[in-house]
Amino acid sequence: MKTRYFFPALCTTGLGLLGSCAVYVPTIPSTPLLNKKGEVEITAGIRSLTSLETSVAWSPAPNLLLTGEAAVQTINGSETRNNATFDYQSTHRQAALGVGTYRLLGQNQAGYLGVVGGVGFASASIYDPKLTIIIPFSGPLTHYDARYLRYYGQVYIARQTPVVNYGASLRGTFVDYSHLQRNGETVAPLNRFYLEPTVFVRVGRRAVQGQATFGVSQPLHNDRSNPEHLNLAPVTTLVGVGIVVRPHLFRRSQAAERQR
């Protein structure tokens, strides 16, 4: 048996570091730092080398926060067994909308508290060549097909300074499967609820900032004796880097230039 991978990160053993064979794929929690009505933030980045993610946040009224996010993960691979080669593509796509509130804290209002809740929709088509070894009659590749809603609640805090912003977030996510099949047969999920703590840091003075996030998505229930636990109850690292664009600061800079 010979396996070739076109992407450096596929199924992992032990801790599901990249979660690329997992049916549930978390996103980097959105942590916008909007301070007043009318402000907007747009974030784009990459998570764990496998997922492209983007999010937008808007404050249409004082202390009101609206968020949207989308993510896509695509991994190509090739599996050769008994002189037969099988090419495959694992994909995961999702989008979500949220609503929440924020408060500035402290005498100088450098502290930040945000609370967001929302719902997302995801579809997954995942191939796992490793699991076929454990389940030998599943064919050349084990294939999961899934659709689910995810309901989440999140609280985050941050410290804002002129150059560096940093903070921590805790998100809880409930996964509600409307469709979950392995090789065309319906299977039961091994876990539905995940705790997702992260820490983040932003660096930059004006309308564009760089951001890094570090955390983990941990299932509430994880039976490691089950050969499918990496796919149906994954522990996934939430490590990502991205760019944050704040368009309202462009407008303020242009207005300041006109006044000079």
Side-chain angles (χ1 to χ4, degrees):
M1 180 179 68
K2 181 180 179 183
T3 303
R4 302 196 312 272
Y5 296 134
F6 296 121
F7 202 92
L10 281 173
C11 300
T12 57
T13 59
L15 184 69
L17 295 178
L18 300 175
S20 51
C21 290
V23 175
Y24 167 65
V25 175
T27 60
I28 295 291
S30 178
T31 52
L33 300 178
L34 304 180
N35 293 292
K36 61 180 65 175
K37 173 184 175 181
E39 293 187 348
V40 176
E41 283 190 359
I42 302 170
T43 303
I46 186 169
R47 181 188 65 80
S48 300
L49 303 178
T50 64
S51 294
L52 298 176
E53 301 186 2
T54 184
S55 64
V56 60
W58 173 45
S59 179
N63 302 118
L64 177 61
L65 182 62
L66 301 180
T67 65
E69 62 179 41
V72 60
Q73 180 186 68
T74 302
I75 298 175
N76 296 313
S78 179
E79 171 83 358
T80 300
R81 298 182 181 184
N82 301 321
N83 297 320
T85 298
F86 304 91
D87 296 324
Y88 61 89
Q89 183 180 76
S90 294
T91 60
H92 196 285
R93 296 181 175 87
Q94 57 183 308
L97 294 173
V99 61
T101 186
Y102 60 90
R103 293 289 186 277
L104 302 180
L105 307 175
Q107 292 184 348
N108 57 1
Q109 296 190 324
Y112 196 95
L113 172 66
V115 179
V116 181
V119 60
F121 173 80
S123 63
S125 176
I126 306 298
Y127 290 89
D128 187 351
K130 281 183 22 177
L131 193 64
T132 308
I133 302 173
I134 302 172
I135 307 177
F137 301 108
S138 61
L141 295 170
T142 299
H143 176 241
Y144 292 94
D145 184 68
R147 294 185 297 273
Y148 60 83
L149 293 174
R150 62 180 180 93
Y151 302 93
Y152 63 92
Q154 175 189 351
V155 59
Y156 62 100
I157 58 173
R159 176 76 175 178
Q160 300 184 95
T161 72
V163 180
V164 179
N165 302 322
Y166 55 91
S169 167
L170 179 62
R171 183 174 67 187
T173 300
F174 178 78
V175 181
D176 183 16
Y177 291 96
S178 60
H179 176 84
L180 177 58
Q181 292 187 338
R182 181 191 65 229
N183 295 335
E185 296 184 358
T186 299
V187 295
L190 299 182
N191 177 74
R192 292 181 182 271
F193 187 80
Y194 295 83
L195 281 178
E196 296 164 345
T198 56
V199 295
F200 63 93
V201 60
R202 291 189 188 182
V203 179
R205 281 185 173 274
R206 298 187 182 276
V208 179
Q209 296 180 317
Q211 177 169 296
T213 304
F214 308 89
V216 65
S217 174
Q218 173 69 50
L220 190 64
H221 174 73
N222 191 2
D223 181 6
R224 294 184 179 275
S225 65
N226 190 308
E228 296 183 90
H229 79 273
L230 290 178
N231 298 337
L232 297 181
V235 178
T236 309
T237 56
L238 293 171
V239 178
V241 294
I243 298 294
V244 181
V245 179
R246 300 181 289 177
H248 57 276
L249 292 185
F250 285 117
R251 295 193 298 268
R252 292 177 188 176
S253 297
Q254 293 171 357
E257 287 294 333
R258 289 193 295 267
Q259 292 176 359
R260 291 181 180 179

